[in-house]
Amino acid sequence: MSSRAGRPQSVAGRRLAESQPALRAAASHTVVLMKQPPPFRMASRETHPQSTVVTAGGVAIGTGRLVVMAGPCSVESRQQIREAARRVKAAGADMLRGGAYKPRTSPYDFQGLGPKALEWLSEAGREFGLPVVTEVVSPEDVELVAEHADLLQVGARNMQNYALLRRLATAPKPVLLKRGPSATIQEWLLAAEYLLSGGNPRVVLCERGIRTFETATRNTLDLAGVALVKSLSHLPVIVDPSHGTGKRALVPPASRAAAAVGADGLLIEVHPCPERALSDGDQSLDPAEFAALMCTLRPRALAAHA
Ligand code: PEP
Ligand code: MN
């Protein structure tokens, strides 16, 4: 009888091991644990093996083609969002991002321009043929934001805002659900479950970095988590390398890494002039940097999904 790593290899050895009551009990216990269905029933790939494709303003997310959403952290003026839209469209972006309602850590920081910004954003999107994604922070704003946006973003700080999730479950638009900075993957998928079980099947997940002991980057981008969630759930998963790293120089490599692990898309902050940005300038690419990144992304994205 040969034994490697303490495990009997021969038939006789296996029979001996199987005959031991403690081992048999452990084996049956394992089977019971594995049979437990995941608590995120509707988001689970077990109940829905086929990958879901979510369409937002005509852009299909989850088909295997990398979808790129780009634009400034905040909509700051009509001219700023128009210029951002023009430049990201020219570089090949699929959707335009821009915050009108900004959930800021400090109440003294720029809070967004609200309804005016929504109008400028949707106007710029229409002019350049880019569907728009923007954040909604409270249930009362859902109706207005849904009139202007093609994809409704739930920010990381609101991932477990259940009143907001319940309201969005009945919204007429798809939802981009960011992972909370301290949320486990199970908590994230259960937040998605609020949307799905409440009646909105159009949910896209977004990994944007989590809080760890590391302070050299703004957050720790959990790319292994992206690959894991893609196997646990049928929902499309995109990555935000801007908030995920907090550093402009890290956005291109993190974007390529996200494509390589199978992300369905990217959400990237691009500002016409990052030095003058009212929020998140340090992690925003300028239009030329974004265009250079796009040239390296598409071939890799196609290869990763081939
Ligand atoms: C944002 O997208 O600008 C934003 C505030 O992101 P997060 O919720 O991930 O911090
Ligand atoms: Mn931002």
Side-chain angles (χ1 to χ4, degrees), residues 178-210:
K178 285 197 159 194
R179 180 181 182 180
S182 305
T184 64
I185 283 171
Q186 179 158 307
E187 286 164 345
W188 187 18
L189 289 171
L190 283 170
E193 199 75 12
Y194 270 83
L195 298 164
L196 299 172
S197 65
N200 193 341
R202 298 194 289 165
V203 178
V204 179
L205 301 167
C206 179
E207 161 62 32
R208 47 76 73 202
I210 52 175

PDB file of all heavy atoms in Angstrom, residues 178-210:
ATOM      1  N   LYS A 178     -22.976  48.754  -6.387  1.00  0.00           N
ATOM      2  CA  LYS A 178     -21.578  48.709  -5.956  1.00  0.00           C
ATOM      3  C   LYS A 178     -21.432  47.913  -4.664  1.00  0.00           C
ATOM      4  O   LYS A 178     -22.349  47.903  -3.830  1.00  0.00           O
ATOM      5  CB  LYS A 178     -21.069  50.133  -5.761  1.00  0.00           C
ATOM      6  CG  LYS A 178     -20.796  50.836  -7.089  1.00  0.00           C
ATOM      7  CD  LYS A 178     -19.930  52.052  -6.877  1.00  0.00           C
ATOM      8  CE  LYS A 178     -19.235  52.480  -8.131  1.00  0.00           C
ATOM      9  NZ  LYS A 178     -18.167  53.443  -7.842  1.00  0.00           N
ATOM     10  N   ARG A 179     -20.287  47.295  -4.514  1.00  0.00           N
ATOM     11  CA  ARG A 179     -20.013  46.547  -3.289  1.00  0.00           C
ATOM     12  C   ARG A 179     -19.657  47.521  -2.174  1.00  0.00           C
ATOM     13  O   ARG A 179     -18.867  48.448  -2.383  1.00  0.00           O
ATOM     14  CB  ARG A 179     -18.842  45.595  -3.525  1.00  0.00           C
ATOM     15  CG  ARG A 179     -18.476  44.763  -2.316  1.00  0.00           C
ATOM     16  CD  ARG A 179     -17.299  43.869  -2.638  1.00  0.00           C
ATOM     17  NE  ARG A 179     -16.956  43.024  -1.520  1.00  0.00           N
ATOM     18  CZ  ARG A 179     -15.967  42.139  -1.522  1.00  0.00           C
ATOM     19  NH1 ARG A 179     -15.244  41.989  -2.625  1.00  0.00           N
ATOM     20  NH2 ARG A 179     -15.702  41.405  -0.469  1.00  0.00           N
ATOM     21  N   GLY A 180     -20.221  47.322  -1.002  1.00  0.00           N
ATOM     22  CA  GLY A 180     -19.902  48.168   0.151  1.00  0.00           C
ATOM     23  C   GLY A 180     -18.444  48.025   0.525  1.00  0.00           C
ATOM     24  O   GLY A 180     -17.850  46.952   0.351  1.00  0.00           O
ATOM     25  N   PRO A 181     -17.831  49.094   1.076  1.00  0.00           N
ATOM     26  CA  PRO A 181     -16.394  49.054   1.404  1.00  0.00           C
ATOM     27  C   PRO A 181     -16.037  47.960   2.416  1.00  0.00           C
ATOM     28  O   PRO A 181     -14.906  47.509   2.451  1.00  0.00           O
ATOM     29  CB  PRO A 181     -16.111  50.426   2.020  1.00  0.00           C
ATOM     30  CG  PRO A 181     -17.299  51.274   1.714  1.00  0.00           C
ATOM     31  CD  PRO A 181     -18.447  50.377   1.389  1.00  0.00           C
ATOM     32  N   SER A 182     -17.013  47.550   3.222  1.00  0.00           N
ATOM     33  CA  SER A 182     -16.739  46.498   4.213  1.00  0.00           C
ATOM     34  C   SER A 182     -17.661  45.302   4.043  1.00  0.00           C
ATOM     35  O   SER A 182     -17.850  44.527   4.982  1.00  0.00           O
ATOM     36  CB  SER A 182     -16.884  47.057   5.633  1.00  0.00           C
ATOM     37  OG  SER A 182     -16.061  48.188   5.799  1.00  0.00           O
ATOM     38  N   ALA A 183     -18.230  45.160   2.874  1.00  0.00           N
ATOM     39  CA  ALA A 183     -19.204  44.081   2.670  1.00  0.00           C
ATOM     40  C   ALA A 183     -18.532  42.791   2.225  1.00  0.00           C
ATOM     41  O   ALA A 183     -17.640  42.802   1.366  1.00  0.00           O
ATOM     42  CB  ALA A 183     -20.234  44.498   1.622  1.00  0.00           C
ATOM     43  N   THR A 184     -18.998  41.694   2.792  1.00  0.00           N
ATOM     44  CA  THR A 184     -18.556  40.389   2.304  1.00  0.00           C
ATOM     45  C   THR A 184     -19.271  40.115   0.977  1.00  0.00           C
ATOM     46  O   THR A 184     -20.272  40.774   0.645  1.00  0.00           O
ATOM     47  CB  THR A 184     -18.923  39.259   3.283  1.00  0.00           C
ATOM     48  OG1 THR A 184     -20.359  39.189   3.364  1.00  0.00           O
ATOM     49  CG2 THR A 184     -18.345  39.493   4.671  1.00  0.00           C
ATOM     50  N   ILE A 185     -18.778  39.128   0.276  1.00  0.00           N
ATOM     51  CA  ILE A 185     -19.410  38.769  -1.001  1.00  0.00           C
ATOM     52  C   ILE A 185     -20.843  38.303  -0.767  1.00  0.00           C
ATOM     53  O   ILE A 185     -21.761  38.642  -1.513  1.00  0.00           O
ATOM     54  CB  ILE A 185     -18.546  37.721  -1.731  1.00  0.00           C
ATOM     55  CG1 ILE A 185     -17.352  38.463  -2.361  1.00  0.00           C
ATOM     56  CG2 ILE A 185     -19.334  36.943  -2.768  1.00  0.00           C
ATOM     57  CD1 ILE A 185     -16.276  37.597  -2.936  1.00  0.00           C
ATOM     58  N   GLN A 186     -21.061  37.571   0.318  1.00  0.00           N
ATOM     59  CA  GLN A 186     -22.434  37.122   0.598  1.00  0.00           C
ATOM     60  C   GLN A 186     -23.367  38.305   0.877  1.00  0.00           C
ATOM     61  O   GLN A 186     -24.506  38.332   0.411  1.00  0.00           O
ATOM     62  CB  GLN A 186     -22.437  36.127   1.771  1.00  0.00           C
ATOM     63  CG  GLN A 186     -23.841  35.672   2.098  1.00  0.00           C
ATOM     64  CD  GLN A 186     -23.882  34.353   2.833  1.00  0.00           C
ATOM     65  OE1 GLN A 186     -23.297  33.362   2.385  1.00  0.00           O
ATOM     66  NE2 GLN A 186     -24.557  34.327   3.962  1.00  0.00           N
ATOM     67  N   GLU A 187     -22.873  39.291   1.632  1.00  0.00           N
ATOM     68  CA  GLU A 187     -23.712  40.472   1.911  1.00  0.00           C
ATOM     69  C   GLU A 187     -24.033  41.231   0.619  1.00  0.00           C
ATOM     70  O   GLU A 187     -25.142  41.733   0.425  1.00  0.00           O
ATOM     71  CB  GLU A 187     -23.006  41.392   2.908  1.00  0.00           C
ATOM     72  CG  GLU A 187     -23.006  40.851   4.322  1.00  0.00           C
ATOM     73  CD  GLU A 187     -21.991  41.537   5.243  1.00  0.00           C
ATOM     74  OE1 GLU A 187     -21.078  42.239   4.742  1.00  0.00           O
ATOM     75  OE2 GLU A 187     -22.097  41.340   6.465  1.00  0.00           O
ATOM     76  N   TRP A 188     -23.043  41.308  -0.253  1.00  0.00           N
ATOM     77  CA  TRP A 188     -23.220  41.991  -1.550  1.00  0.00           C
ATOM     78  C   TRP A 188     -24.303  41.274  -2.381  1.00  0.00           C
ATOM     79  O   TRP A 188     -25.211  41.889  -2.920  1.00  0.00           O
ATOM     80  CB  TRP A 188     -21.870  41.973  -2.249  1.00  0.00           C
ATOM     81  CG  TRP A 188     -21.699  42.734  -3.510  1.00  0.00           C
ATOM     82  CD1 TRP A 188     -22.484  43.742  -4.007  1.00  0.00           C
ATOM     83  CD2 TRP A 188     -20.639  42.541  -4.454  1.00  0.00           C
ATOM     84  NE1 TRP A 188     -21.962  44.184  -5.197  1.00  0.00           N
ATOM     85  CE2 TRP A 188     -20.827  43.465  -5.493  1.00  0.00           C
ATOM     86  CE3 TRP A 188     -19.532  41.685  -4.511  1.00  0.00           C
ATOM     87  CZ2 TRP A 188     -19.956  43.556  -6.586  1.00  0.00           C
ATOM     88  CZ3 TRP A 188     -18.667  41.780  -5.591  1.00  0.00           C
ATOM     89  CH2 TRP A 188     -18.886  42.701  -6.620  1.00  0.00           C
ATOM     90  N   LEU A 189     -24.196  39.941  -2.441  1.00  0.00           N
ATOM     91  CA  LEU A 189     -25.177  39.191  -3.232  1.00  0.00           C
ATOM     92  C   LEU A 189     -26.562  39.222  -2.582  1.00  0.00           C
ATOM     93  O   LEU A 189     -27.581  39.192  -3.276  1.00  0.00           O
ATOM     94  CB  LEU A 189     -24.686  37.758  -3.456  1.00  0.00           C
ATOM     95  CG  LEU A 189     -23.490  37.673  -4.421  1.00  0.00           C
ATOM     96  CD1 LEU A 189     -22.891  36.269  -4.446  1.00  0.00           C
ATOM     97  CD2 LEU A 189     -23.912  38.089  -5.835  1.00  0.00           C
ATOM     98  N   LEU A 190     -26.594  39.320  -1.258  1.00  0.00           N
ATOM     99  CA  LEU A 190     -27.910  39.439  -0.606  1.00  0.00           C
ATOM    100  C   LEU A 190     -28.520  40.823  -0.853  1.00  0.00           C
ATOM    101  O   LEU A 190     -29.745  40.957  -0.940  1.00  0.00           O
ATOM    102  CB  LEU A 190     -27.792  39.146   0.897  1.00  0.00           C
ATOM    103  CG  LEU A 190     -27.680  37.646   1.220  1.00  0.00           C
ATOM    104  CD1 LEU A 190     -27.309  37.426   2.687  1.00  0.00           C
ATOM    105  CD2 LEU A 190     -28.979  36.915   0.881  1.00  0.00           C
ATOM    106  N   ALA A 191     -27.676  41.840  -0.988  1.00  0.00           N
ATOM    107  CA  ALA A 191     -28.190  43.165  -1.358  1.00  0.00           C
ATOM    108  C   ALA A 191     -28.794  43.096  -2.771  1.00  0.00           C
ATOM    109  O   ALA A 191     -29.875  43.654  -3.024  1.00  0.00           O
ATOM    110  CB  ALA A 191     -27.073  44.205  -1.296  1.00  0.00           C
ATOM    111  N   ALA A 192     -28.120  42.379  -3.668  1.00  0.00           N
ATOM    112  CA  ALA A 192     -28.666  42.182  -5.022  1.00  0.00           C
ATOM    113  C   ALA A 192     -29.997  41.445  -4.954  1.00  0.00           C
ATOM    114  O   ALA A 192     -30.929  41.714  -5.727  1.00  0.00           O
ATOM    115  CB  ALA A 192     -27.671  41.406  -5.888  1.00  0.00           C
ATOM    116  N   GLU A 193     -30.086  40.538  -3.986  1.00  0.00           N
ATOM    117  CA  GLU A 193     -31.311  39.748  -3.825  1.00  0.00           C
ATOM    118  C   GLU A 193     -32.517  40.635  -3.503  1.00  0.00           C
ATOM    119  O   GLU A 193     -33.633  40.350  -3.908  1.00  0.00           O
ATOM    120  CB  GLU A 193     -31.063  38.714  -2.711  1.00  0.00           C
ATOM    121  CG  GLU A 193     -31.999  37.542  -2.701  1.00  0.00           C
ATOM    122  CD  GLU A 193     -31.731  36.517  -3.806  1.00  0.00           C
ATOM    123  OE1 GLU A 193     -30.688  36.574  -4.477  1.00  0.00           O
ATOM    124  OE2 GLU A 193     -32.610  35.658  -3.992  1.00  0.00           O
ATOM    125  N   TYR A 194     -32.288  41.744  -2.770  1.00  0.00           N
ATOM    126  CA  TYR A 194     -33.384  42.690  -2.491  1.00  0.00           C
ATOM    127  C   TYR A 194     -33.956  43.232  -3.795  1.00  0.00           C
ATOM    128  O   TYR A 194     -35.171  43.397  -3.943  1.00  0.00           O
ATOM    129  CB  TYR A 194     -32.875  43.868  -1.645  1.00  0.00           C
ATOM    130  CG  TYR A 194     -32.991  43.628  -0.158  1.00  0.00           C
ATOM    131  CD1 TYR A 194     -32.014  42.911   0.518  1.00  0.00           C
ATOM    132  CD2 TYR A 194     -34.079  44.109   0.567  1.00  0.00           C
ATOM    133  CE1 TYR A 194     -32.101  42.674   1.871  1.00  0.00           C
ATOM    134  CE2 TYR A 194     -34.184  43.882   1.928  1.00  0.00           C
ATOM    135  CZ  TYR A 194     -33.191  43.164   2.573  1.00  0.00           C
ATOM    136  OH  TYR A 194     -33.296  42.923   3.914  1.00  0.00           O
ATOM    137  N   LEU A 195     -33.067  43.525  -4.746  1.00  0.00           N
ATOM    138  CA  LEU A 195     -33.516  44.073  -6.034  1.00  0.00           C
ATOM    139  C   LEU A 195     -34.244  43.001  -6.842  1.00  0.00           C
ATOM    140  O   LEU A 195     -35.331  43.230  -7.376  1.00  0.00           O
ATOM    141  CB  LEU A 195     -32.314  44.609  -6.817  1.00  0.00           C
ATOM    142  CG  LEU A 195     -31.556  45.757  -6.147  1.00  0.00           C
ATOM    143  CD1 LEU A 195     -30.191  45.968  -6.780  1.00  0.00           C
ATOM    144  CD2 LEU A 195     -32.386  47.044  -6.237  1.00  0.00           C
ATOM    145  N   LEU A 196     -33.646  41.817  -6.912  1.00  0.00           N
ATOM    146  CA  LEU A 196     -34.214  40.736  -7.720  1.00  0.00           C
ATOM    147  C   LEU A 196     -35.555  40.270  -7.153  1.00  0.00           C
ATOM    148  O   LEU A 196     -36.544  40.167  -7.879  1.00  0.00           O
ATOM    149  CB  LEU A 196     -33.241  39.555  -7.782  1.00  0.00           C
ATOM    150  CG  LEU A 196     -31.857  39.829  -8.403  1.00  0.00           C
ATOM    151  CD1 LEU A 196     -30.944  38.625  -8.211  1.00  0.00           C
ATOM    152  CD2 LEU A 196     -31.979  40.135  -9.891  1.00  0.00           C
ATOM    153  N   SER A 197     -35.583  40.024  -5.838  1.00  0.00           N
ATOM    154  CA  SER A 197     -36.819  39.493  -5.245  1.00  0.00           C
ATOM    155  C   SER A 197     -37.899  40.560  -5.195  1.00  0.00           C
ATOM    156  O   SER A 197     -39.087  40.256  -5.146  1.00  0.00           O
ATOM    157  CB  SER A 197     -36.547  38.930  -3.842  1.00  0.00           C
ATOM    158  OG  SER A 197     -36.163  39.973  -2.976  1.00  0.00           O
ATOM    159  N   GLY A 198     -37.489  41.820  -5.236  1.00  0.00           N
ATOM    160  CA  GLY A 198     -38.469  42.909  -5.231  1.00  0.00           C
ATOM    161  C   GLY A 198     -39.018  43.214  -6.615  1.00  0.00           C
ATOM    162  O   GLY A 198     -39.877  44.075  -6.764  1.00  0.00           O
ATOM    163  N   GLY A 199     -38.490  42.559  -7.654  1.00  0.00           N
ATOM    164  CA  GLY A 199     -39.101  42.692  -8.971  1.00  0.00           C
ATOM    165  C   GLY A 199     -38.224  43.295 -10.051  1.00  0.00           C
ATOM    166  O   GLY A 199     -38.670  43.463 -11.185  1.00  0.00           O
ATOM    167  N   ASN A 200     -36.964  43.654  -9.748  1.00  0.00           N
ATOM    168  CA  ASN A 200     -36.102  44.191 -10.805  1.00  0.00           C
ATOM    169  C   ASN A 200     -35.024  43.165 -11.159  1.00  0.00           C
ATOM    170  O   ASN A 200     -34.053  42.984 -10.421  1.00  0.00           O
ATOM    171  CB  ASN A 200     -35.446  45.507 -10.358  1.00  0.00           C
ATOM    172  CG  ASN A 200     -34.805  46.248 -11.519  1.00  0.00           C
ATOM    173  OD1 ASN A 200     -34.539  45.652 -12.559  1.00  0.00           O
ATOM    174  ND2 ASN A 200     -34.575  47.537 -11.345  1.00  0.00           N
ATOM    175  N   PRO A 201     -35.169  42.488 -12.301  1.00  0.00           N
ATOM    176  CA  PRO A 201     -34.186  41.452 -12.659  1.00  0.00           C
ATOM    177  C   PRO A 201     -32.929  42.040 -13.289  1.00  0.00           C
ATOM    178  O   PRO A 201     -31.961  41.311 -13.547  1.00  0.00           O
ATOM    179  CB  PRO A 201     -34.945  40.606 -13.692  1.00  0.00           C
ATOM    180  CG  PRO A 201     -35.912  41.561 -14.340  1.00  0.00           C
ATOM    181  CD  PRO A 201     -36.227  42.639 -13.322  1.00  0.00           C
ATOM    182  N   ARG A 202     -32.922  43.350 -13.553  1.00  0.00           N
ATOM    183  CA  ARG A 202     -31.793  43.947 -14.286  1.00  0.00           C
ATOM    184  C   ARG A 202     -30.772  44.528 -13.305  1.00  0.00           C
ATOM    185  O   ARG A 202     -30.808  45.712 -12.964  1.00  0.00           O
ATOM    186  CB  ARG A 202     -32.321  45.002 -15.250  1.00  0.00           C
ATOM    187  CG  ARG A 202     -33.255  44.375 -16.294  1.00  0.00           C
ATOM    188  CD  ARG A 202     -33.516  45.300 -17.443  1.00  0.00           C
ATOM    189  NE  ARG A 202     -34.370  46.417 -17.079  1.00  0.00           N
ATOM    190  CZ  ARG A 202     -34.513  47.504 -17.820  1.00  0.00           C
ATOM    191  NH1 ARG A 202     -33.842  47.643 -18.939  1.00  0.00           N
ATOM    192  NH2 ARG A 202     -35.330  48.462 -17.451  1.00  0.00           N
ATOM    193  N   VAL A 203     -29.890  43.679 -12.839  1.00  0.00           N
ATOM    194  CA  VAL A 203     -28.902  44.070 -11.832  1.00  0.00           C
ATOM    195  C   VAL A 203     -27.491  43.786 -12.345  1.00  0.00           C
ATOM    196  O   VAL A 203     -27.211  42.683 -12.817  1.00  0.00           O
ATOM    197  CB  VAL A 203     -29.146  43.311 -10.501  1.00  0.00           C
ATOM    198  CG1 VAL A 203     -28.094  43.681  -9.461  1.00  0.00           C
ATOM    199  CG2 VAL A 203     -30.550  43.593  -9.963  1.00  0.00           C
ATOM    200  N   VAL A 204     -26.622  44.799 -12.244  1.00  0.00           N
ATOM    201  CA  VAL A 204     -25.203  44.646 -12.582  1.00  0.00           C
ATOM    202  C   VAL A 204     -24.426  44.897 -11.290  1.00  0.00           C
ATOM    203  O   VAL A 204     -24.704  45.869 -10.578  1.00  0.00           O
ATOM    204  CB  VAL A 204     -24.777  45.671 -13.659  1.00  0.00           C
ATOM    205  CG1 VAL A 204     -23.288  45.525 -13.999  1.00  0.00           C
ATOM    206  CG2 VAL A 204     -25.627  45.534 -14.919  1.00  0.00           C
ATOM    207  N   LEU A 205     -23.458  44.032 -10.983  1.00  0.00           N
ATOM    208  CA  LEU A 205     -22.652  44.206  -9.773  1.00  0.00           C
ATOM    209  C   LEU A 205     -21.382  44.974 -10.110  1.00  0.00           C
ATOM    210  O   LEU A 205     -20.868  44.863 -11.230  1.00  0.00           O
ATOM    211  CB  LEU A 205     -22.289  42.830  -9.200  1.00  0.00           C
ATOM    212  CG  LEU A 205     -23.480  41.943  -8.837  1.00  0.00           C
ATOM    213  CD1 LEU A 205     -23.021  40.514  -8.583  1.00  0.00           C
ATOM    214  CD2 LEU A 205     -24.200  42.497  -7.596  1.00  0.00           C
ATOM    215  N   CYS A 206     -20.872  45.754  -9.142  1.00  0.00           N
ATOM    216  CA  CYS A 206     -19.627  46.504  -9.379  1.00  0.00           C
ATOM    217  C   CYS A 206     -18.683  46.406  -8.177  1.00  0.00           C
ATOM    218  O   CYS A 206     -19.005  46.886  -7.084  1.00  0.00           O
ATOM    219  CB  CYS A 206     -19.945  47.975  -9.671  1.00  0.00           C
ATOM    220  SG  CYS A 206     -18.471  48.991  -9.962  1.00  0.00           S
ATOM    221  N   GLU A 207     -17.536  45.776  -8.410  1.00  0.00           N
ATOM    222  CA  GLU A 207     -16.471  45.727  -7.392  1.00  0.00           C
ATOM    223  C   GLU A 207     -15.696  47.043  -7.462  1.00  0.00           C
ATOM    224  O   GLU A 207     -15.238  47.435  -8.547  1.00  0.00           O
ATOM    225  CB  GLU A 207     -15.564  44.521  -7.673  1.00  0.00           C
ATOM    226  CG  GLU A 207     -14.186  44.558  -7.026  1.00  0.00           C
ATOM    227  CD  GLU A 207     -14.214  44.574  -5.506  1.00  0.00           C
ATOM    228  OE1 GLU A 207     -15.128  43.991  -4.899  1.00  0.00           O
ATOM    229  OE2 GLU A 207     -13.308  45.200  -4.922  1.00  0.00           O
ATOM    230  N   ARG A 208     -15.555  47.723  -6.309  1.00  0.00           N
ATOM    231  CA  ARG A 208     -14.907  49.040  -6.300  1.00  0.00           C
ATOM    232  C   ARG A 208     -13.882  49.162  -5.182  1.00  0.00           C
ATOM    233  O   ARG A 208     -13.499  50.240  -4.774  1.00  0.00           O
ATOM    234  CB  ARG A 208     -15.951  50.149  -6.215  1.00  0.00           C
ATOM    235  CG  ARG A 208     -17.004  49.954  -5.175  1.00  0.00           C
ATOM    236  CD  ARG A 208     -16.588  50.229  -3.754  1.00  0.00           C
ATOM    237  NE  ARG A 208     -16.426  51.639  -3.492  1.00  0.00           N
ATOM    238  CZ  ARG A 208     -15.698  52.148  -2.516  1.00  0.00           C
ATOM    239  NH1 ARG A 208     -15.041  51.329  -1.674  1.00  0.00           N
ATOM    240  NH2 ARG A 208     -15.617  53.435  -2.312  1.00  0.00           N
ATOM    241  N   GLY A 209     -13.439  47.984  -4.713  1.00  0.00           N
ATOM    242  CA  GLY A 209     -12.427  47.998  -3.650  1.00  0.00           C
ATOM    243  C   GLY A 209     -13.072  47.951  -2.276  1.00  0.00           C
ATOM    244  O   GLY A 209     -14.141  48.504  -2.058  1.00  0.00           O
ATOM    245  N   ILE A 210     -12.367  47.273  -1.387  1.00  0.00           N
ATOM    246  CA  ILE A 210     -12.846  47.127  -0.008  1.00  0.00           C
ATOM    247  C   ILE A 210     -11.817  47.703   0.951  1.00  0.00           C
ATOM    248  O   ILE A 210     -10.654  47.901   0.588  1.00  0.00           O
ATOM    249  CB  ILE A 210     -13.149  45.641   0.337  1.00  0.00           C
ATOM    250  CG1 ILE A 210     -11.944  44.747  -0.013  1.00  0.00           C
ATOM    251  CG2 ILE A 210     -14.405  45.188  -0.376  1.00  0.00           C
ATOM    252  CD1 ILE A 210     -12.114  43.306   0.396  1.00  0.00           C
TER     253      ILE A 210
END
